[in-house]
Amino acid sequence: TFDRQHNSLRILGEGAIDKAVFTKAPYDVYKNEIKSIYIGEGITSIVDGAFEGFSALCEVEIKEGVTVIGSNAFKGTSVSTLVLPSTLTEVGEGAFGGIEKINDIVYGGTEEKWTIIKIGENNPALMGEISFKSVKISFVWDDTTWVVDVNVGDIPIFDIVPEKEHEDENKCYVFEGWK
């Protein structure tokens, strides 16, 4: 749906985004006015050239489910804020072509997952600093080392203040709840 008042486009549904839809009204008429695009869960891929030439486009949020962003999908846009899902496995050649720098890139997965995404040539904007929504945290509990992926949005902001100090040879703190 297109929100004319905010110049935003929300794409909901299932499957691949069909480029043919965006060559018809109202998208062909307003493509140079659309400033933000939200691609909802259920969408699996963004086809080649889907939003190419949407010159006013500066914010893109892609929810979980999308695995492929096709070649030239956002070429010739002004994307400066980009949210990518952890389900992403491939970014086509020139998908973000013509964009020198994206100021704010947030990826829903871990840094480790980011490194295995196949990123095609001519995407220099994706080579900048990335913020990761998930981090790996490891801890030892009951003589077992546990490694978990934690969504950063789920981590409360706090100062860790131990309730009491353990006086064993390890000089560890015992966590007994938040103060």
Side-chain angles (χ1 to χ4, degrees), residues 65-179:
V66 171
T67 58
V68 176
I69 298 174
S71 298
N72 302 318
F74 295 95
K75 181 179 181 182
T77 65
S78 301
V79 173
S80 61
T81 301
L82 177 62
V83 178
L84 297 169
S86 66
T87 52
L88 189 64
T89 60
E90 183 178 344
V91 178
E93 182 174 340
F96 295 91
I99 303 170
E100 288 184 33
K101 182 180 184 214
I102 298 175
N103 296 329
D104 191 18
I105 302 174
V106 177
Y107 172 62
T110 62
E111 187 171 1
E112 180 180 38
K113 278 186 81 172
W114 177 258
T115 62
I116 60 174
I117 295 173
K118 180 183 174 192
I119 298 178
E121 294 182 14
N122 300 319
N123 285 302
L126 295 181
M127 302 307 153
E129 187 174 325
I130 311 290
S131 297
F132 299 96
K133 278 187 166 179
S134 289
V135 294
K136 282 199 178 297
I137 295 178
S138 62
F139 59 94
V140 177
W141 180 42
D142 215 10
D143 293 326
T144 303
T145 300
W146 299 80
V147 180
V148 294
D149 287 341
V150 177
N151 185 325
V152 174
D154 294 339
I155 299 173
I157 305 302
F158 55 82
D159 292 322
I160 297 178
V161 179
E163 289 286 329
K164 67 180 186 180
E165 189 173 345
H166 219 13
E167 292 297 332
D168 67 4
E169 66 278 0
N170 295 326
K171 299 288 184 198
C172 293
Y173 291 104
V174 175
F175 177 77
E176 294 183 359
W178 305 114
K179 276 191 168 189

Side-chain angles (χ1 to χ4, degrees), residues 14-59:
E14 294 183 3
I17 291 176
D18 183 358
K19 181 181 178 180
V21 169
F22 301 109
T23 60
K24 301 174 185 169
Y27 310 109
D28 63 336
V29 175
Y30 296 116
K31 81 177 208 175
N32 293 322
E33 295 176 35
I34 294 173
K35 294 182 179 180
S36 66
I37 292 179
Y38 170 90
I39 299 172
E41 291 182 17
I43 303 297
T44 56
S45 64
I46 301 170
V47 298
D48 296 351
F51 305 104
E52 184 173 2
F54 280 46
S55 59
L57 182 59
C58 57
E59 296 178 1

